[in-house]
Amino acid sequence: MSAVHVTPNSRCLVTGASDPASIGYACAEALLQAGAGKVTIMGRHEGNVRAAIASLRIIISSIASSSDNVNVNGSPHQVQLVSGVVGDLKKPETMAAVVEAAVEKMGGLDILVISGGNGGSEYLGLDASDPASYRMMHDVSVLSPLFLTEAAVPELLKSSIHTSRNNGTTSTSTSTSTSTSTSTSASVVMVSSMATQVPWPDTAPFNYAKAAQNAMIETLAFKYRTDHIRVNGVLPACIHTGHLDQMARKKNSSVEEYAKLRADAHPMERVGTPQDVANAVVFLASPASGFMTGELLKVDGGLHLSNWFNRPRMTAEYAGSKRKNAGSKRKI
């Protein structure tokens, strides 16, 4: 359980959260553990969304039974609810409807967490010579997060107004601040990637899209700076989700061997877990980070401290794909 708590009764929308092995699901679980009142998860397949909701409801029951009906502030424990909505980050034009559905289920929105990849991995099935790969990743990492955020702003503004009033002021549109209005429950957190700082050519579609996403995070943070809507990002390095297991199979390696190979590129000598990322997301969504916006928080096991290209085993591991692509006809 996270030691950081979100604003009580927060209403949260988390995308890419229907796979129990995913970062998005870990974020949904961590938000519930941190005291969120209502969480709506988004996934591409209705069956998976339903299964994830059932799993999260079991977690809620565990939280309630261990809390003695009292929350961390000593007040009666809130009733926590989980719901779901079907949505696909490959379809940016549908994101406003996702937000609308989530708001209808929860009665508002305080926290937006945008996670999710392309339903596989940047290392699985993305051809760096095919323009379609770049368009798809731009939809997933830039356009859909942008449209989600912009659609959420009217509800997030209501959240920030409510919080500012509780802190002794009714203004959310001026640059003047006081010590009593430094925290807000209105928060957007996007899960980006350290790939922007590890420019491996084979993952170019993913790298470029995430670099654009990071610029968007900073732009939106500035745009909404006086509206008490904070926008931040988390930059994970290699995280052990189901994608790592898929990659191990593709490389004809055991999961343990491949995880060790990837861990060798990190100074902390391990890969991360979805919970590692979720802990950072909860922090950025909570009042504990109330004076942070436009932050790109690394959750990378110290990867940024090392020269990734000087890791001989990793370089050798990818040498095969370079040779494989050398003779292929380039489309771009």
Side-chain angles (χ1 to χ4, degrees):
M1 179 181 295
S2 172
V4 176
H5 297 275
V6 297
T7 302
N9 299 312
S10 291
R11 298 155 298 183
C12 314
L13 169 60
V14 185
T15 70
S18 61
D19 179 359
S22 69
I23 292 172
Y25 181 94
C27 290
E29 179 179 349
L31 286 165
L32 290 167
Q33 296 278 11
K38 298 177 182 179
V39 173
T40 297
I41 62 171
M42 188 199 87
R44 293 182 301 142
H45 303 294
E46 184 174 358
N48 293 345
V49 171
R50 290 183 180 274
I53 291 171
S55 178
L56 288 168
R57 285 175 177 167
I58 293 173
I59 293 170
I60 289 176
S61 298
S62 175
I63 296 171
S65 63
S66 63
S67 67
D68 296 325
N69 293 320
V70 176
N71 70 17
V72 293
N73 298 317
S75 58
H77 195 280
Q78 64 201 24
V79 176
Q80 295 179 298
L81 300 174
V82 179
S83 58
V85 59
V86 175
D88 189 344
L89 293 174
K90 297 189 189 74
K91 301 176 180 179
E93 68 278 4
T94 66
M95 291 299 102
V98 168
V99 173
E100 181 180 359
V103 169
E104 183 177 352
K105 291 175 182 294
M106 297 186 292
L109 184 64
D110 307 298
I111 296 170
L112 172 62
V113 176
I114 303 174
S115 182
N118 64 333
S121 169
E122 63 272 20
Y123 300 104
L124 296 171
L126 279 186
D127 182 354
S129 67
D130 186 353
S133 297
Y134 296 86
R135 297 190 187 102
M136 186 270 286
M137 284 310 310
H138 192 76
D139 285 345
V140 168
S141 296
V142 182
L143 292 184
S144 282
L146 173 62
F147 294 161
L148 281 166
T149 301
E150 297 291 10
V153 163
E155 294 300 323
L156 296 175
L157 282 170
K158 296 176 187 178
S159 173
S160 64
I161 290 171
H162 175 74
T163 301
S164 293
R165 284 175 175 165
N166 287 343
N167 285 327
T169 176
T170 59
S171 174
T172 63
S173 59
T174 67
S175 59
T176 303
S177 62
T178 69
S179 61
T180 60
S181 60
T182 56
S183 65
T184 173
S185 60
S187 179
V188 179
V189 185
M190 301 188 195
V191 179
S192 183
S193 176
M194 279 295 293
T196 59
Q197 299 182 35
V198 184
W200 192 252
D202 287 353
T203 59
F206 184 80
N207 301 349
Y208 299 168
K210 286 301 182 180
Q213 185 180 58
N214 291 350
M216 178 178 64
I217 289 168
E218 295 180 328
T219 302
L220 292 172
F222 189 81
K223 180 178 180 179
Y224 294 112
R225 69 195 185 283
T226 59
D227 294 311
H228 296 284
I229 298 173
R230 299 183 298 109
V231 184
N232 292 290
V234 175
L235 275 57
C238 181
I239 305 299
H240 195 155
T241 65
H243 298 167
L244 187 144
D245 298 348
Q246 294 177 44
M247 193 61 190
R249 290 191 291 271
K250 183 178 180 181
K251 296 292 183 179
N252 296 318
S253 173
S254 70
V255 171
E256 293 76 15
E257 289 173 344
Y258 189 69
K260 178 62 168 61
L261 174 69
R262 299 302 301 270
D264 283 347
H266 299 70
M268 290 185 69
E269 298 183 341
R270 73 172 178 90
V271 295
T273 67
Q275 290 71 31
D276 288 326
V277 182
N279 288 340
V281 169
V282 169
F283 167 68
L284 290 174
S286 76
S289 62
F291 196 50
M292 296 172 65
T293 194
E295 179 65 35
L296 300 173
L297 184 61
K298 299 180 183 71
V299 183
D300 69 344
L303 181 64
H304 66 285
L305 302 173
S306 65
N307 187 334
W308 191 85
F309 288 99
N310 285 339
R311 308 299 294 190
R313 291 183 63 191
M314 291 300 295
T315 303
E317 196 270 339
Y318 282 102
S321 63
K322 182 178 179 180
R323 289 193 297 270
K324 179 181 177 181
N325 291 334
S328 64
K329 181 179 179 180
R330 295 289 177 181
K331 300 177 183 178
I332 61 174

PDB file of all heavy atoms in Angstrom, residues 189-201:
ATOM      1  N   VAL A 189      -1.875  12.794 -15.079  1.00  0.00           N
ATOM      2  CA  VAL A 189      -0.573  12.131 -15.075  1.00  0.00           C
ATOM      3  C   VAL A 189      -0.510  11.211 -16.286  1.00  0.00           C
ATOM      4  O   VAL A 189      -1.374  10.349 -16.467  1.00  0.00           O
ATOM      5  CB  VAL A 189      -0.337  11.314 -13.793  1.00  0.00           C
ATOM      6  CG1 VAL A 189       1.093  10.739 -13.799  1.00  0.00           C
ATOM      7  CG2 VAL A 189      -0.566  12.166 -12.549  1.00  0.00           C
ATOM      8  N   MET A 190       0.503  11.400 -17.114  1.00  0.00           N
ATOM      9  CA  MET A 190       0.694  10.557 -18.288  1.00  0.00           C
ATOM     10  C   MET A 190       1.908   9.664 -18.095  1.00  0.00           C
ATOM     11  O   MET A 190       2.951  10.113 -17.608  1.00  0.00           O
ATOM     12  CB  MET A 190       0.888  11.411 -19.545  1.00  0.00           C
ATOM     13  CG  MET A 190      -0.263  12.341 -19.840  1.00  0.00           C
ATOM     14  SD  MET A 190      -0.084  13.150 -21.466  1.00  0.00           S
ATOM     15  CE  MET A 190      -1.292  14.475 -21.298  1.00  0.00           C
ATOM     16  N   VAL A 191       1.768   8.409 -18.479  1.00  0.00           N
ATOM     17  CA  VAL A 191       2.887   7.468 -18.423  1.00  0.00           C
ATOM     18  C   VAL A 191       3.604   7.531 -19.759  1.00  0.00           C
ATOM     19  O   VAL A 191       3.103   7.052 -20.783  1.00  0.00           O
ATOM     20  CB  VAL A 191       2.407   6.035 -18.117  1.00  0.00           C
ATOM     21  CG1 VAL A 191       3.600   5.076 -18.087  1.00  0.00           C
ATOM     22  CG2 VAL A 191       1.662   5.996 -16.780  1.00  0.00           C
ATOM     23  N   SER A 192       4.776   8.146 -19.766  1.00  0.00           N
ATOM     24  CA  SER A 192       5.578   8.267 -20.973  1.00  0.00           C
ATOM     25  C   SER A 192       6.668   7.185 -20.943  1.00  0.00           C
ATOM     26  O   SER A 192       6.382   6.035 -20.610  1.00  0.00           O
ATOM     27  CB  SER A 192       6.177   9.676 -21.068  1.00  0.00           C
ATOM     28  OG  SER A 192       6.888   9.824 -22.270  1.00  0.00           O
ATOM     29  N   SER A 193       7.910   7.531 -21.236  1.00  0.00           N
ATOM     30  CA  SER A 193       8.954   6.505 -21.301  1.00  0.00           C
ATOM     31  C   SER A 193      10.342   7.124 -21.318  1.00  0.00           C
ATOM     32  O   SER A 193      10.528   8.235 -21.832  1.00  0.00           O
ATOM     33  CB  SER A 193       8.783   5.644 -22.557  1.00  0.00           C
ATOM     34  OG  SER A 193       9.835   4.711 -22.696  1.00  0.00           O
ATOM     35  N   MET A 194      11.302   6.392 -20.785  1.00  0.00           N
ATOM     36  CA  MET A 194      12.713   6.763 -20.897  1.00  0.00           C
ATOM     37  C   MET A 194      13.255   6.517 -22.296  1.00  0.00           C
ATOM     38  O   MET A 194      14.399   6.853 -22.591  1.00  0.00           O
ATOM     39  CB  MET A 194      13.539   5.991 -19.876  1.00  0.00           C
ATOM     40  CG  MET A 194      13.527   6.570 -18.475  1.00  0.00           C
ATOM     41  SD  MET A 194      14.316   8.190 -18.383  1.00  0.00           S
ATOM     42  CE  MET A 194      16.030   7.730 -18.729  1.00  0.00           C
ATOM     43  N   ALA A 195      12.428   5.938 -23.167  1.00  0.00           N
ATOM     44  CA  ALA A 195      12.874   5.673 -24.539  1.00  0.00           C
ATOM     45  C   ALA A 195      13.293   6.948 -25.253  1.00  0.00           C
ATOM     46  O   ALA A 195      14.083   6.904 -26.203  1.00  0.00           O
ATOM     47  CB  ALA A 195      11.773   4.973 -25.330  1.00  0.00           C
ATOM     48  N   THR A 196      12.780   8.088 -24.801  1.00  0.00           N
ATOM     49  CA  THR A 196      13.168   9.354 -25.417  1.00  0.00           C
ATOM     50  C   THR A 196      14.627   9.673 -25.174  1.00  0.00           C
ATOM     51  O   THR A 196      15.221  10.486 -25.890  1.00  0.00           O
ATOM     52  CB  THR A 196      12.310  10.498 -24.866  1.00  0.00           C
ATOM     53  OG1 THR A 196      12.479  10.570 -23.450  1.00  0.00           O
ATOM     54  CG2 THR A 196      10.846  10.260 -25.188  1.00  0.00           C
ATOM     55  N   GLN A 197      15.216   9.068 -24.155  1.00  0.00           N
ATOM     56  CA  GLN A 197      16.617   9.302 -23.833  1.00  0.00           C
ATOM     57  C   GLN A 197      17.482   8.084 -24.138  1.00  0.00           C
ATOM     58  O   GLN A 197      18.658   8.048 -23.811  1.00  0.00           O
ATOM     59  CB  GLN A 197      16.747   9.683 -22.355  1.00  0.00           C
ATOM     60  CG  GLN A 197      15.978  10.958 -22.025  1.00  0.00           C
ATOM     61  CD  GLN A 197      16.124  11.374 -20.576  1.00  0.00           C
ATOM     62  OE1 GLN A 197      17.170  11.196 -19.961  1.00  0.00           O
ATOM     63  NE2 GLN A 197      15.063  11.944 -20.024  1.00  0.00           N
ATOM     64  N   VAL A 198      16.873   7.071 -24.742  1.00  0.00           N
ATOM     65  CA  VAL A 198      17.592   5.862 -25.158  1.00  0.00           C
ATOM     66  C   VAL A 198      17.254   5.648 -26.636  1.00  0.00           C
ATOM     67  O   VAL A 198      16.403   4.830 -26.975  1.00  0.00           O
ATOM     68  CB  VAL A 198      17.172   4.638 -24.315  1.00  0.00           C
ATOM     69  CG1 VAL A 198      17.989   3.408 -24.700  1.00  0.00           C
ATOM     70  CG2 VAL A 198      17.317   4.928 -22.829  1.00  0.00           C
ATOM     71  N   PRO A 199      17.884   6.405 -27.517  1.00  0.00           N
ATOM     72  CA  PRO A 199      17.421   6.494 -28.908  1.00  0.00           C
ATOM     73  C   PRO A 199      17.795   5.294 -29.772  1.00  0.00           C
ATOM     74  O   PRO A 199      18.548   5.411 -30.738  1.00  0.00           O
ATOM     75  CB  PRO A 199      18.107   7.769 -29.398  1.00  0.00           C
ATOM     76  CG  PRO A 199      19.383   7.830 -28.607  1.00  0.00           C
ATOM     77  CD  PRO A 199      19.036   7.288 -27.244  1.00  0.00           C
ATOM     78  N   TRP A 200      17.249   4.144 -29.429  1.00  0.00           N
ATOM     79  CA  TRP A 200      17.544   2.945 -30.215  1.00  0.00           C
ATOM     80  C   TRP A 200      16.763   2.981 -31.526  1.00  0.00           C
ATOM     81  O   TRP A 200      15.534   3.120 -31.521  1.00  0.00           O
ATOM     82  CB  TRP A 200      17.195   1.694 -29.412  1.00  0.00           C
ATOM     83  CG  TRP A 200      17.734   0.459 -30.033  1.00  0.00           C
ATOM     84  CD1 TRP A 200      17.035  -0.512 -30.665  1.00  0.00           C
ATOM     85  CD2 TRP A 200      19.112   0.077 -30.094  1.00  0.00           C
ATOM     86  NE1 TRP A 200      17.878  -1.489 -31.123  1.00  0.00           N
ATOM     87  CE2 TRP A 200      19.162  -1.141 -30.790  1.00  0.00           C
ATOM     88  CE3 TRP A 200      20.300   0.655 -29.640  1.00  0.00           C
ATOM     89  CZ2 TRP A 200      20.366  -1.805 -31.031  1.00  0.00           C
ATOM     90  CZ3 TRP A 200      21.487  -0.017 -29.886  1.00  0.00           C
ATOM     91  CH2 TRP A 200      21.518  -1.225 -30.567  1.00  0.00           C
ATOM     92  N   PRO A 201      17.425   2.857 -32.682  1.00  0.00           N
ATOM     93  CA  PRO A 201      16.740   3.018 -33.968  1.00  0.00           C
ATOM     94  C   PRO A 201      15.591   2.055 -34.197  1.00  0.00           C
ATOM     95  O   PRO A 201      14.601   2.419 -34.843  1.00  0.00           O
ATOM     96  CB  PRO A 201      17.869   2.786 -34.991  1.00  0.00           C
ATOM     97  CG  PRO A 201      19.117   3.172 -34.254  1.00  0.00           C
ATOM     98  CD  PRO A 201      18.896   2.722 -32.834  1.00  0.00           C
TER      99      PRO A 201
END
